Amino acid sequence: MHGARPTIGDVARAAGVSKGTVSLAYSGKRPVAEETRRRVFAAAESLRWTASSSAQALATSRTSTIGLVIARRPEIIATDTFFPRFIAGCEAVLAEAGMGLMLNVVTDEDAETAAYERYAAGRVDGVILLDVKQGDRRPDLVRELGLTAVMLTAEAPHEDDPVDTPVVYTEDAAAVGELVDLLVGAGHTSIAHVSGPLRYVHAAARRDAFVDAMTHHGLRPDRIVEGDFTAASGRDATAALVDRADRPSAIVYANDVMAIAGLSYARSSGLRVPEDLSVTGFDDSELSAHLSPGLTSVSTGSDVRGAVAARTLLAALGGDARRPVLVDGTVVVRRGSIAPPSRH
């Protein structure tokens, strides 16, 4: 409309940022990159827009809500027990604080960015970053948007890494090493690994731990198949490993969903578990204890992870910049899916 007064949305589009970033640039409540601030001010001047009290309120008001964006396909979320347990842990802490959780499930990077931009426009007070990737762009994104964030990862930050975003971490490597120790102790020397997508830090950490443990025992870690955490990928990876004459005698899976599908495929192929093939999982889903045989897995305390992540974020919102927080409670749960290898 000709002659219409410019809006904060017009300024955001002209500057190439979100409305939340525009309001943050004017309020000064949270840091905005200097180059971004200059771009916002230049766009506002060219449009002859001035910040109103309602625009600044986007940045200064509290919503009593925490945001969580999960960038996974719905079928993965539906079958992986980590997510509901993690969310339950978050909710327990937030409920005590009189707060709630806003959840968005997205399937591509553009939708993910849009979700964080909506959060920054005043919908949430802070965010929890899950499924951290190699070279993850989100810490920089949420920092530019002015969102307080906490990041959950599977390994401690390196000492020389910048710690701009509070980190909650677990130690998955020790548990994977213990699984390999159990298999080697039972007599296995031909052990394979079905990993998760290696773009994720936690999948790569588990793969690296497998390689280190095998090398420590003087064994070759050369049977690694990358899956995607789905049952279908677990089945396909298992087929690729066992449908050959030199099949491994044991497989370490990066999650229970793939392990259960792999166990089912092996049995349908005529292999006995654990006599012909030992298997282990990760995450200790409820179903794992009720299989025949029960699946040896790793209990990750995902509800505890959620609770610690939420508490750490609440502390950050209160101005408490903490050092990296270790979540204790990753435990190997031994069941009947490991046995000495059979003699061919």
Side-chain angles (χ1 to χ4, degrees):
M1 293 186 298
H2 182 69
R5 292 182 62 183
T7 67
I8 189 174
D10 296 328
V11 176
R13 282 188 291 274
V17 300
S18 70
K19 289 187 289 185
T21 299
V22 174
S23 62
L24 289 170
Y26 279 90
S27 73
K29 185 172 178 63
R30 297 178 193 163
V32 174
E34 186 57 36
E35 191 276 332
T36 301
R37 188 187 302 276
R38 285 197 297 268
R39 202 162 70 239
V40 169
F41 289 168
E45 184 176 356
S46 68
L47 293 168
R48 297 184 178 180
W49 175 85
T50 56
S52 66
S53 59
S54 60
Q56 292 199 18
L58 280 172
T60 58
S61 62
R62 283 294 177 92
T63 65
S64 296
T65 304
I66 297 303
L68 177 64
V69 180
I70 300 178
R72 295 276 194 113
R73 299 201 308 273
E75 63 268 26
I76 296 179
I77 298 173
T79 57
D80 194 328
T81 59
F82 171 85
F83 294 104
R85 289 178 178 176
F86 180 86
I87 290 169
C90 289
E91 289 278 21
V93 170
L94 294 176
E96 287 184 1
M99 301 181 70
L101 183 72
M102 180 178 290
L103 174 66
N104 283 82
V105 177
V106 298
T107 55
D108 61 57
E109 196 168 275
D110 288 342
E112 183 180 55
T113 299
Y116 287 117
E117 288 179 341
R118 288 195 301 273
Y119 287 171
R123 294 196 176 187
V124 304
D125 297 329
V127 294
I128 297 172
L129 304 181
L130 278 183
D131 284 340
V132 177
K133 302 180 184 69
Q134 311 283 355
D136 204 307
R137 69 194 181 93
R138 292 175 300 164
D140 288 339
L141 172 64
V142 297
R143 191 179 307 116
E144 180 170 326
L145 291 172
L147 286 166
T148 300
V150 164
M151 185 164 57
L152 178 71
T153 187
E155 56 186 9
H158 298 296
E159 289 185 3
D160 55 349
D161 285 347
V163 188
D164 295 326
T165 303
V167 172
V168 172
Y169 71 97
T170 57
E171 293 184 332
D172 290 1
V176 173
E178 187 175 341
L179 291 174
V180 173
D181 290 347
L182 287 174
L183 291 166
V184 172
H188 294 273
T189 57
S190 176
I191 307 170
H193 178 53
V194 176
S195 78
L198 295 175
R199 65 181 180 275
Y200 291 123
V201 168
H202 63 288
R206 294 172 194 179
R207 186 277 312 271
D208 293 347
F210 172 80
V211 171
D212 289 346
M214 291 286 285
T215 303
H216 172 76
H217 286 289
L219 302 174
R220 292 174 57 189
D222 56 355
R223 298 191 185 192
I224 299 173
V225 180
E226 184 176 354
D228 65 6
F229 288 134
T230 64
S233 76
R235 177 184 175 87
D236 292 346
T238 304
L241 289 167
V242 304
D243 291 351
R244 41 190 292 175
D246 60 342
R247 62 173 172 80
S249 61
I251 303 177
V252 175
Y253 294 84
N255 78 342
D256 280 7
V257 173
M258 295 192 297
I260 291 169
L263 186 154
S264 177
Y265 178 83
R267 294 182 67 170
S268 70
S269 301
L271 295 175
R272 298 169 301 163
V273 178
E275 293 85 356
D276 299 322
L277 181 70
S278 289
V279 298
T280 68
F282 208 104
D283 288 335
D284 194 31
S285 63
E286 184 176 356
L287 182 59
S288 298
H290 302 285
L291 299 173
S292 181
L295 178 65
T296 294
S297 188
V298 177
S299 175
T300 58
S302 45
D303 56 336
V304 177
R305 296 186 190 201
V308 173
R311 277 197 294 270
T312 304
L313 181 54
L314 293 181
L317 287 168
D320 181 5
R322 297 187 177 187
R323 301 296 299 168
V325 179
L326 171 63
V327 183
D328 202 8
T330 302
V331 178
V332 172
V333 181
R334 304 186 190 189
R335 299 194 180 98
S337 62
I338 294 178
S342 59
R343 303 296 178 187
H344 297 293

